[in-house]
Amino acid sequence: MNDNLVLLSKELVADRRTDRAEFVLRYDEDDTELNGYTTLPVALDSLQALLRSYPEIENKVRLLPDAAVGNKTVGIIKVSVANLRSEPGHSQELATQALLGTPIEVLDLVDNWCLVRTPDRYIAWLEPGAFTAMTVPEAKIWLEGELLRLVPPSGFLTAAPGGTTIISDLVAGNLLRPTGRQQSQFLELALPDNTLGWAPKADFEPSGNWQSPDALSTDRLLEAARKLAGRPYLWGGTSPKGMDCSGFTKTAYYLNGYVIPRDASQQVHAGVEVELTDDFKNLEAGDLLFFGRFREDGSEKITHVGVYLGDGQFLHAGADNGRITTNSLRASAPDYAEHRLKSLLRARRLSPDSKGVLTVNDAFRSLLTK
């Protein structure tokens, strides 16, 4: 039976980072229970069909979200950058991050940690103090109301206009709600939990055009990417405070109003393929370059991604460099990275109408639609 459950889980879940089907068979003297959880309704149907041959097993697998989180199945991030973990606990691996004002789907509650899903469909664990739990209608009111987006790389929300008492730090892409009050060049703004503070009006712009952009400008994408240069490498980071390789490419797109998959091994399936040649003639600025190696079975293992700038150069967040920086694929260049050229496997061109690319608005709304 355990082998059947493992096979069923693998059949149902193509990528555990975006969906789950976790089954645990428990035996005791009196009965046998099948416990666990899944994010897929079809999994319950498949389990029921499988268990027809095992009438002695009681099916207690939960479909998430369930009663553990009640009717507040959505949350809005209320800190500048929320750190999501691979397992419950602050000492666990940083899996990804989410920015202030971002909606999340709240799936489960275990030991005061919430299993959540971010707009890029990534599933990880987050402490409840980092977000405001809401019902779906409450979250829609927040997202459909007037929101302002922070444009500079960083900023602060203070207790008084131009004051020094800090309510919250801010990073580019944070979303806040204006209250309508203004003093001089400062706006009063509200966090998702209705905490109020003040920030310079010049640091913000309406989020509407950003959430639903008409097109993706390569120049703006590269501008956003270059503004992130010099930021430290951070495994699991997807914010201007620190980024890993795919967190960097994801953030550059996010700051331009688009959500792409979280990890490099997911991003390599987005957009369309660009044929690689020795002279790089097929590549265009803004293309994503993917690096990795071949496994023993001949399959590709994608381990790194960067943004192509043109003329053999690419911008990337690499642990070997320690920060987001530019390297070249050309041996004659002073910033030539030989190990990157040797590990270059693929290139992809992402556009708004291509696979795996959503507007922020569509990605946000997908979390509120069942």
Side-chain angles (χ1 to χ4, degrees), residues 24-349:
V24 179
L25 196 59
R26 299 188 184 279
Y27 301 90
D28 61 32
E29 294 180 356
D30 299 321
D31 54 27
T32 304
E33 293 181 354
L34 180 61
N35 292 285
Y37 67 89
T38 181
T39 57
L40 298 165
V42 67
L44 293 185
D45 296 334
S46 299
L47 275 177
Q48 198 60 38
L50 177 62
L51 292 178
R52 290 193 187 104
S53 301
Y54 303 89
E56 72 279 8
I57 299 177
E58 183 179 3
N59 185 4
K60 290 190 174 181
V61 173
R62 298 179 298 132
L63 177 63
L64 303 184
D66 71 356
V69 298
N71 66 341
K72 294 191 174 183
T73 58
V74 183
I76 305 293
I77 300 298
K78 67 178 184 180
V79 295
S80 63
V81 177
N83 296 318
L84 285 72
R85 305 288 175 177
S86 58
E87 299 292 340
H90 290 288
S91 63
Q92 300 299 317
E93 177 191 41
L94 181 64
T96 191
Q97 295 176 318
L99 301 186
L100 173 66
T102 300
I104 53 173
E105 184 182 9
V106 185
L107 300 169
D108 203 2
L109 176 64
V110 177
D111 295 331
N112 205 36
W113 280 78
C114 292
L115 186 67
V116 305
R117 191 200 301 270
T118 56
D120 54 19
R121 312 299 295 172
Y122 213 79
I123 295 176
W125 293 89
L126 181 62
E127 74 273 21
F131 67 91
T132 299
M134 298 182 181
T135 63
V136 170
E138 289 170 342
K140 286 182 176 179
I141 290 173
W142 166 264
L143 293 172
E144 292 170 1
E146 181 184 3
L147 294 175
L148 298 180
R149 181 177 72 98
L150 186 77
V151 177
S154 61
F156 293 98
L157 193 69
T158 58
T164 58
T165 301
I166 296 173
I167 302 296
S168 176
D169 76 314
L170 303 171
V171 300
N174 282 175
L175 298 173
L176 297 93
R177 178 174 56 80
T179 67
R181 295 182 64 197
Q182 181 173 345
Q183 288 189 26
S184 184
Q185 298 303 309
F186 293 87
L187 294 176
E188 186 182 52
L189 301 162
L191 300 178
D193 62 358
N194 291 320
T195 297
L196 302 179
W198 297 81
K201 179 180 179 180
D203 287 353
F204 293 86
E205 66 178 19
S207 69
N209 291 338
W210 167 76
Q211 289 191 49
S212 300
D214 294 328
L216 175 62
S217 165
T218 299
D219 289 342
R220 290 182 179 176
L221 176 67
L222 295 179
E223 179 184 6
R226 289 190 171 101
K227 285 182 177 179
L228 295 171
R231 304 284 168 142
Y233 178 87
L234 175 64
W235 176 270
T238 62
S239 79
K241 290 188 176 183
M243 289 151 278
D244 58 21
C245 64
S246 56
F248 163 59
T249 51
K250 170 181 161 54
T251 300
Y253 274 89
Y254 186 75
L255 294 178
N256 277 274
Y258 291 93
V259 172
I260 65 174
R262 165 64 182 95
D263 290 342
S265 58
Q266 297 170 312
Q267 292 176 8
V268 74
H269 300 294
V272 296
E273 187 82 12
V274 179
E275 183 182 2
L276 289 171
T277 60
D278 291 340
D279 58 4
F280 315 119
K281 67 178 182 178
N282 293 333
L283 295 176
E284 295 180 1
D287 289 346
L288 296 187
L289 304 181
F290 294 90
F291 307 82
R293 59 179 175 81
F294 290 97
R295 300 183 180 92
E296 290 185 1
D297 63 3
S299 62
E300 292 178 343
K301 180 177 177 60
I302 299 297
T303 59
H304 191 62
V305 61
V307 178
Y308 189 66
L309 301 177
D311 195 28
Q313 289 192 313
F314 63 102
L315 189 62
H316 65 132
D320 51 340
N321 293 327
R323 68 180 69 88
I324 298 171
T325 191
T326 300
N327 281 117
S328 179
L329 298 171
R330 297 190 184 280
S332 58
D335 54 358
Y336 172 54
E338 181 180 10
H339 67 294
R340 295 301 184 194
L341 178 62
K342 289 182 176 180
S343 62
L344 179 62
L345 295 181
R346 290 189 177 275
R348 305 285 291 188
R349 186 166 299 150

Side-chain angles (χ1 to χ4, degrees), residues 103 118-121 211 258-259 358-368:
T118 56
D120 54 19
R121 312 299 295 172
Q211 289 191 49
Y258 291 93
V259 172
L358 295 175
T359 66
V360 166
N361 182 68
D362 287 343
F364 281 8
R365 296 300 184 275
S366 71
L367 293 181
L368 309 180

Side-chain angles (χ1 to χ4, degrees), residues 7-21 39-40 265-266 269:
L7 290 173
L8 179 60
S9 181
K10 289 182 178 179
E11 177 184 326
L12 292 168
V13 178
D15 189 337
R16 191 176 180 273
R17 293 167 292 186
T18 56
D19 270 304
R20 299 285 175 88
T39 57
L40 298 165
S265 58
Q266 297 170 312
H269 300 294

